[in-house]
Amino acid sequence: MTVHQIGIRQLVEFLLRTGDLSPITSSENTPQEGSRIHRKLQKRRPDSYQSEVSLKTSFQYLEDEYIVEGRADGIDYQDSTVLIEEIKTSDLEFQSVPESTIQLYWAQAKVYAYILMEKDALDDIRLQLTYVQTPDERITTKFKSYTKDEATSFFNELVAEYKAWIKLRRELNEQRIKSAKALRFPFTNYRPGQHQLAVNVYKTIMLEKHLFIEAPTGTGKTISTLFPAIKSMGESLISRIFYFTAKQSTRHVAENTISLMAKNGLTLKSITLTAKDKITFQEERDVPPEKNPYMVGYYDRVRPAIKDIILNENQITKQTIEKYAEKHKVDPFEYSLDVSLFCDIIICDYNYLFDPQVHLQRFFSVPDKENCFLVDEVHNLVQRSREMYSAALKLSPIKPLIDTLSKQKEANKKIIKKLESLKRAFKRYSKEAGETVSRQIAQTAPIDNFNKTLGDLIAEIHEWLANQKPSPTVDLVVDYYLQCRSYYLISQFYDETYRTRVIVDEDHHDIIFRQFCMDPSKQLKESLNLGRAAILFSATLSPISYYQRVLGGEADSLPMISTSSFPQQNCQVIIANNINTLYANRGKSIQPICETIFTLVSQKKGHYMIFFPSMTYLDAVLSEFSTIYPEIKTVRQESTMDNFARQQFLDEFRQTPEQTKVGFALLGGIFSEGIDLKNDQLIGVGIVSVGLPGMNAESDLIRDYFDSINGEGFSFAYQLPGFNNVSQAAGRVIRTNTDKGVIVLMDRRFNQTRYRKIFPKHWANIQVSNNPKQLENQLQNFWKQFRN
């Protein structure tokens, strides 16, 4: 017999929640604030009152035991009767709380009452709902009398409905375990290194570790991580897999991999979560919640909608969600989140785990060893995580807000006063920055008084919004309110890994405060520890020790560099040692770069791509190259390109190469990562410079921070992030086992030890050329071996 725990609050909310889906019912109260108010009220109660009383009961179903448990805020054993108190806190006025939410509060108290009456053999009981509106702590108290017969009937109906969901979940679990246990690897043979990769993933899950994997393109990373994770489901090590990625294209690869295994007998539920702005129906856009047909009555329709899709679909994609959401008239984004609770594999963006602003509370509020995390293209997480834990706030929106609100000055006087206070705080705490030559400072300590003023404004706006009807003024306030909330949330994480930047932008008459996180490894570690195991992988993760440090910093995380599946002789790396791309020498470097490009593309007809560290550099070389070699067809990446323009650029390379064509693109840009040009679509890549980010204030802060930690500041702030762009761009040329191509690194610094030692292991064939003639011979020798 297996024992399952069910929280009373979760049980009640899942089964009994009704009414509309509306953001107006949300509260700014933190759990800490709620706990403080609870304790304050409980201390005022008489001696006969007991606080935080644990209550539980159980029932058996399908040979398992289900323990229903919770903690009553208070029980008062009075002379004539027993009273159960349920305390709720929110910054909404009591009258603004929807009736459906009030009924949930009472339902929670009713379950406590049933358990207590069963335990103490009571015939009746008194229920008290104490509602505290913050920040003024205005208290509303309501009472109800409740009999044992009423409580028994209520609880039995609750359990009866829940049993139907238990049965469904049980059937899904049995299906998943049986199917995963029987699953076989969907290919006849493993590629080189692939079997060991899969074994290491399985062992990592079994040992509850974090594994970092560099697996070159073509290794089959997706199947090599998903397959062993699913096999661990068959052994009941885990029950849910999260597949995190940064790109839509990678999500499609994961979906296709699951489809492939489904054709080989795998039966489980998978879902792809789509960002809210990408899945919202057109009819919902710019419609207030109270008039949105997909939100009004959402909770009355969502449970049948969940059951419908789960009983009829296995692979739930964006299109599947939209189909069923339209059928049941429910908001597709919220519906997808509710459906995900019944899914075994969840494919989604990094933010859902790592970003404190949007992470999924329903899965990641407490650690759960039933969950396993697969994090794809993890090299992208370094910079993205810094932004997740950083925030900026500007002064400039305040004056227009005050001007707009002042049209009804008396009604809005409280919020105007708080905005004026924040405006003064901006000016007071930016004075030092304004007196410097650079008009900016970076300080170690947070600006606590500014943050307190900001917190007061947030509380005032939230209370103000609860009483407003939709209008352009409300939209303006909400926009700045969300920015303030974001900044205030990040202030809660502030520690020695942060710097507060204060920037006086005289050109735009603005002041910017930015809380900049230089090292979010602690937060990433905490996020990764919410699951049983985490597998973090990418084609470019060199040096792997760097990524272990900045993406978790755990001493016992495991590294793995997978064997490349490509024949080593199919790729030639050549360092053009005669090219100096240091900034001071860039003018002189243009002609030798043009000669090197011409030499590269002249040895074999085909498609090539050259990557540059900046658009200015790209344009200078392209102009000279087109003048000297007008016969060579060139294609240029534009500074801004929509999806259609991007597709047109790539289509130039997907045609059969009837003539030599050279693409000029940005290093670290949209064409240097994530594009898949196979076989003859791309046979050579040239990379100009070592990709160092331009010197800037925040990279300098990262440099100084890591210098003080490990003496590797320049490497962590500039060299390694730049080299990741290089290795990503180089990875465009060899995509399949039969691809053949060359990589020319156009910068003499690549020949230095500090760069040679961080080259990926699969760059096995490396040569150095000192002039165009030597390069020509090396390229001819490489291509000669493939001529029939």
Side-chain angles (χ1 to χ4, degrees):
M1 177 185 288
T2 304
V3 178
H4 306 269
Q5 261 90 23
I6 308 168
I8 290 172
R9 180 175 176 178
Q10 288 73 27
L11 176 73
V12 165
E13 288 194 353
F14 177 70
L15 293 177
L16 300 180
R17 193 163 198 175
T18 60
D20 305 341
L21 175 66
S22 174
I24 199 105
T25 61
S26 67
S27 171
E28 285 300 304
N29 284 348
T30 63
Q32 294 83 355
E33 176 68 3
S35 297
R36 182 191 67 78
I37 293 172
H38 275 61
R39 291 192 299 271
K40 183 177 177 180
L41 290 176
Q42 289 161 345
K43 285 179 181 177
R44 295 176 183 171
R45 302 305 184 230
D47 293 341
S48 55
Y49 184 95
Q50 296 179 15
S51 303
E52 303 297 328
V53 180
S54 293
L55 294 169
K56 66 180 179 180
T57 187
S58 66
F59 63 90
Q60 291 190 359
Y61 184 59
L62 298 177
E63 301 178 351
D64 281 354
E65 182 178 10
Y66 293 84
I67 297 174
V68 181
E69 58 187 347
R71 194 181 291 271
D73 293 324
I75 300 177
D76 192 355
Y77 290 89
Q78 302 164 342
D79 292 337
S80 57
T81 187
V82 177
L83 179 142
I84 291 180
E85 181 179 33
E86 180 66 16
I87 302 171
K88 296 296 181 184
T89 65
S90 170
D91 44 19
L92 295 175
E93 291 182 356
F94 185 75
Q95 297 90 322
S96 300
V97 180
E99 181 59 28
S100 57
T101 302
I102 300 295
Q103 291 308 313
L104 285 180
Y105 296 162
W106 282 120
Q108 201 172 330
K110 287 176 180 179
V111 176
Y112 294 140
Y114 166 77
I115 298 171
L116 190 64
M117 284 193 275
E118 281 286 308
K119 172 176 163 290
D120 292 350
L122 301 171
D123 293 327
D124 55 61
I125 209 164
R126 233 176 145 218
L127 305 180
Q128 175 178 327
L129 173 60
T130 303
Y131 182 89
V132 185
Q133 182 199 348
T134 58
D136 298 332
E137 297 190 13
R138 291 196 287 270
I139 296 174
T140 304
T141 306
K142 301 288 181 179
F143 295 93
K144 278 189 180 183
S145 296
Y146 204 49
T147 66
K148 186 174 183 180
D149 287 345
E150 288 175 317
T152 303
S153 175
F154 174 78
F155 185 76
N156 287 343
E157 288 177 14
L158 208 61
V159 168
E161 185 176 351
Y162 196 63
K163 282 179 178 177
W165 292 98
I166 290 174
K167 186 171 184 291
L168 174 60
R169 182 73 264 181
R170 176 77 166 263
E171 289 168 354
L172 294 176
N173 288 346
E174 290 173 350
Q175 173 183 274
R176 178 189 68 240
I177 292 169
K178 181 180 177 182
S179 173
K181 194 183 282 284
L183 183 67
R184 295 289 177 264
F185 193 68
F187 300 105
T188 306
N189 298 304
Y190 285 94
R191 296 177 186 175
Q194 197 173 33
H195 183 264
Q196 188 59 53
L197 197 164
V199 167
N200 287 353
V201 169
Y202 186 89
K203 286 182 178 178
T204 299
I205 296 170
M206 187 172 65
L207 297 172
E208 302 181 20
K209 295 285 188 180
H210 298 164
L211 174 65
F212 287 78
I213 304 169
E214 179 176 83
T217 302
T219 308
K221 298 184 293 295
T222 310
I223 187 68
S224 303
T225 52
L226 269 171
F227 174 73
I230 291 169
K231 292 301 290 181
S232 75
M233 285 177 158
E235 301 304 317
S236 298
L237 293 175
I238 57 171
S239 62
R240 187 180 282 115
I241 297 167
F242 288 88
Y243 194 101
F244 297 107
T245 180
K247 293 188 177 67
Q248 194 169 340
S249 59
T250 326
R251 272 167 244 167
H252 290 324
V253 172
E255 289 174 345
N256 294 339
T257 303
I258 294 168
S259 292
L260 175 65
M261 288 186 277
K263 290 174 184 173
N264 283 266
L266 178 65
T267 307
L268 48 66
K269 307 293 177 183
S270 69
I271 187 169
T272 302
L273 299 181
T274 306
K276 186 177 180 69
D277 64 328
K278 299 267 176 60
I279 200 172
T280 300
F281 288 135
Q282 194 60 42
E283 304 93 303
E284 295 186 89
R285 298 189 186 279
D286 302 320
V287 176
E290 65 273 14
K291 293 185 179 178
N292 184 334
Y294 299 91
M295 288 187 174
V296 175
Y298 173 87
Y299 291 109
D300 303 323
R301 300 185 296 274
V302 72
R303 284 181 289 276
I306 293 171
K307 196 167 282 188
D308 189 11
I309 197 170
I310 289 298
L311 290 174
N312 292 290
E313 305 288 346
N314 285 336
Q315 267 196 273
I316 302 170
T317 61
K318 176 177 183 278
Q319 292 72 27
T320 318
I321 284 290
E322 288 174 334
K323 172 186 168 185
Y324 282 83
E326 183 59 59
K327 176 182 176 182
H328 292 275
K329 284 291 182 289
V330 289
D331 176 73
F333 178 70
E334 287 295 330
Y335 178 49
S336 69
L337 298 181
D338 288 332
V339 170
S340 69
L341 289 165
F342 294 86
C343 293
D344 309 299
I345 301 177
I346 298 172
I347 304 167
C348 58
D349 192 272
Y350 294 151
N351 343 8
Y352 289 121
L353 173 63
F354 298 109
D355 192 331
Q357 313 271 4
V358 297
H359 84 286
L360 295 178
Q361 286 281 355
R362 64 192 70 203
F363 291 118
F364 307 131
S365 56
V366 294
D368 186 350
K369 291 197 174 181
E370 295 284 303
N371 293 336
C372 172
F373 304 145
L374 306 181
V375 190
D376 196 357
E377 302 295 340
V378 74
H379 64 274
N380 285 308
L381 187 56
V382 180
Q383 184 55 34
R384 276 193 59 176
S385 63
R386 284 197 180 110
E387 286 307 310
M388 288 173 187
Y389 283 92
S390 300
L393 193 65
K394 293 184 176 183
L395 167 69
S396 54
I398 294 180
K399 187 180 184 303
L401 267 181
I402 292 174
D403 291 345
T404 302
L405 290 164
S406 294
K407 292 172 184 175
Q408 293 182 309
K409 197 165 189 176
E410 187 58 31
N412 299 327
K413 63 182 179 182
K414 288 185 178 179
I415 189 173
I416 292 171
K417 183 179 178 183
K418 298 296 183 186
L419 283 165
E420 292 280 12
S421 295
L422 187 64
K423 182 179 174 183
R424 288 192 298 271
F426 261 111
K427 292 184 176 179
R428 182 184 310 128
Y429 298 111
S430 64
K431 190 174 180 182
E432 182 184 347
E435 292 171 349
T436 64
V437 174
S438 62
R439 297 291 189 270
Q440 59 178 279
I441 60 170
Q443 64 181 59
T444 304
I447 308 176
D448 291 330
N449 289 339
F450 178 86
N451 293 341
K452 183 182 183 307
T453 303
L454 184 64
D456 292 342
L457 171 63
I458 290 168
E460 187 61 51
I461 294 178
H462 195 82
E463 188 170 349
W464 180 85
L465 285 172
N467 300 304
Q468 302 302 309
K469 293 179 180 178
S471 71
T473 299
V474 168
D475 291 343
L476 278 174
V477 173
V478 166
D479 186 49
Y480 196 58
Y481 165 66
L482 294 175
Q483 296 173 47
C484 292
R485 279 182 59 183
S486 174
Y487 190 92
Y488 192 74
L489 172 64
I490 293 304
S491 73
Q492 312 303 306
F493 294 96
Y494 205 101
D495 60 13
E496 70 281 356
T497 67
Y498 277 82
R499 296 292 181 267
T500 298
R501 299 188 64 212
V502 180
I503 304 159
V504 178
D505 184 352
E506 293 182 328
D507 292 339
H508 299 93
H509 308 289
D510 208 352
I511 298 170
I512 304 161
F513 283 19
R514 176 160 160 82
Q515 297 172 125
F516 176 53
C517 183
M518 301 171 293
D519 179 16
S521 57
K522 181 175 74 172
Q523 289 90 336
L524 296 178
K525 176 183 174 181
E526 289 171 356
S527 295
L528 293 172
N529 284 339
L530 291 169
R532 177 189 178 103
I535 291 86
L536 304 95
F537 52 100
S538 173
T540 56
L541 221 58
S542 293
I544 207 163
S545 58
Y546 161 72
Y547 289 96
Q548 286 178 276
R549 168 60 184 83
V550 296
L551 296 176
E554 290 184 303
D556 63 344
S557 65
L558 308 171
M560 177 189 179
I561 298 176
S562 182
T563 305
S564 174
S565 61
F566 301 125
Q568 291 185 359
Q569 66 272 18
N570 282 16
C571 181
Q572 179 69 64
V573 178
I574 302 174
I575 300 170
N577 201 39
N578 60 311
I579 294 177
N580 175 3
T581 72
L582 288 172
Y583 192 79
N585 195 66
R586 286 196 173 174
K588 296 178 182 177
S589 71
I590 292 174
Q591 187 174 352
I593 289 172
C594 290
E595 290 179 36
T596 301
I597 295 171
F598 181 74
T599 305
L600 166 63
V601 305
S602 299
Q603 311 314 310
K604 180 176 171 61
K605 181 178 71 177
H607 295 160
Y608 297 82
M609 208 173 282
I610 313 298
F611 293 98
F612 294 82
S614 73
M615 194 62 80
T616 302
Y617 207 178
L618 181 155
D619 286 338
V621 174
L622 177 57
S623 175
E624 181 77 4
F625 185 83
S626 300
T627 300
I628 304 173
Y629 310 107
E631 71 278 12
I632 305 289
K633 180 174 172 56
T634 60
V635 188
R636 176 186 183 272
Q637 175 183 340
E638 300 300 326
S639 54
T640 57
M641 301 177 81
D642 58 19
N643 286 335
F644 179 73
R646 294 179 192 184
Q647 200 57 50
Q648 279 188 312
F649 182 94
L650 291 174
D651 286 346
E652 291 280 352
F653 294 86
R654 293 198 168 113
Q655 302 164 8
T656 303
E658 296 175 355
Q659 66 175 119
T660 291
K661 188 180 299 179
V662 185
F664 283 69
L666 280 177
L667 193 58
I670 53 177
F671 300 116
S672 68
E673 182 176 349
I675 63 167
D676 209 17
L677 298 172
K678 298 176 181 177
N679 304 316
D680 290 337
Q681 293 177 344
L682 189 69
I683 63 169
V685 161
I687 299 170
V688 177
S689 88
V690 292
L692 293 178
M695 300 291 283
N696 64 84
E698 293 195 347
S699 292
D700 284 350
L701 288 173
I702 296 169
R703 178 198 63 202
D704 295 343
Y705 170 79
F706 279 106
D707 262 342
S708 68
I709 297 293
N710 58 17
E712 296 187 67
F714 178 80
S715 179
F716 276 41
Y718 287 101
Q719 183 191 10
L720 296 175
F723 185 74
N724 182 264
N725 290 334
V726 169
S727 52
Q728 278 291 318
R732 298 314 96 208
V733 76
I734 300 287
R735 308 302 296 172
T736 73
N737 286 345
T738 57
D739 281 10
K740 302 166 186 67
V742 293
I743 301 163
V744 177
L745 305 174
M746 302 182 200
D747 193 309
R748 63 175 60 168
R749 285 174 289 182
F750 283 116
N751 204 29
Q752 296 172 356
T753 302
R754 63 175 174 156
Y755 277 97
R756 294 289 288 259
K757 71 180 182 182
I758 61 172
F759 281 5
K761 292 285 191 293
H762 61 274
W763 286 9
N765 292 335
I766 301 172
Q767 293 184 348
V768 177
S769 75
N770 293 301
N771 54 64
K773 186 61 182 174
Q774 189 177 4
L775 175 62
E776 179 182 329
N777 292 335
Q778 291 164 336
L779 291 168
Q780 286 179 352
N781 289 335
F782 172 75
W783 290 118
K784 189 188 302 180
Q785 62 183 318
F786 303 114
R787 293 182 187 133
N788 294 327

